Amino acid sequence: MIESALDRCMRRNGLCSEARDRPARALFRHLLSHLATGTPPQPDAILPHRRQASRFGDALRTVLDDIVGADGSPDLALRCVDAFWDCLRLAARPPSQVPYGNITANS
């Protein structure tokens, strides 16, 4: 549901023109992987979606609030948005500067 809502949002904003062009899906999966492992994606994995990353980050909170709503913790959306921006910052760093570790729900 979250991927679909982010895809619709990005299509509506003109950031992807075709159904097969799904930057939201790729960016959301990078975020989930980063949350699960603490390891940022490789810079070349983010590169094809660099134009869409900012809009994705802007839409993420609204989509999470709409879908998760009262069922999630009050700060779930904020923590996910912060983790997304951290993920992008870490992906942009040279490998020797990237800290590794797990990001947990309580961090």
Side-chain angles (χ1 to χ4, degrees):
M1 288 175 60
I2 294 170
E3 278 182 24
S4 295
L6 287 164
D7 277 337
R8 284 191 304 276
C9 181
M10 294 183 80
R11 269 197 297 278
R12 190 171 44 245
N13 288 326
L15 293 171
C16 47
S17 55
E18 301 176 24
R20 65 178 166 75
D21 184 19
R22 298 188 62 194
R25 180 180 191 167
L27 292 167
F28 187 63
R29 290 188 179 189
H30 290 310
L31 170 61
L32 292 178
S33 176
H34 179 64
L35 286 169
T37 67
T39 304
Q42 295 297 316
D44 59 339
I46 297 289
L47 195 59
H49 312 293
R50 67 186 180 279
R51 283 188 33 225
Q52 297 93 350
S54 180
R55 294 280 175 93
F56 176 90
D58 292 344
L60 185 59
R61 170 138 191 228
T62 302
V63 168
L64 289 174
D65 283 344
D66 287 348
I67 292 175
V68 177
D71 294 334
S73 67
D75 64 342
L76 174 68
L78 292 174
R79 288 186 292 134
C80 287
V81 170
D82 286 346
F84 174 71
W85 293 118
D86 286 343
C87 176
L88 290 185
R89 278 191 292 277
L90 292 171
R93 288 185 185 173
S96 63
Q97 295 181 2
V98 176
Y100 291 95
N102 239 359
I103 297 175
T104 64
N106 295 324
S107 61

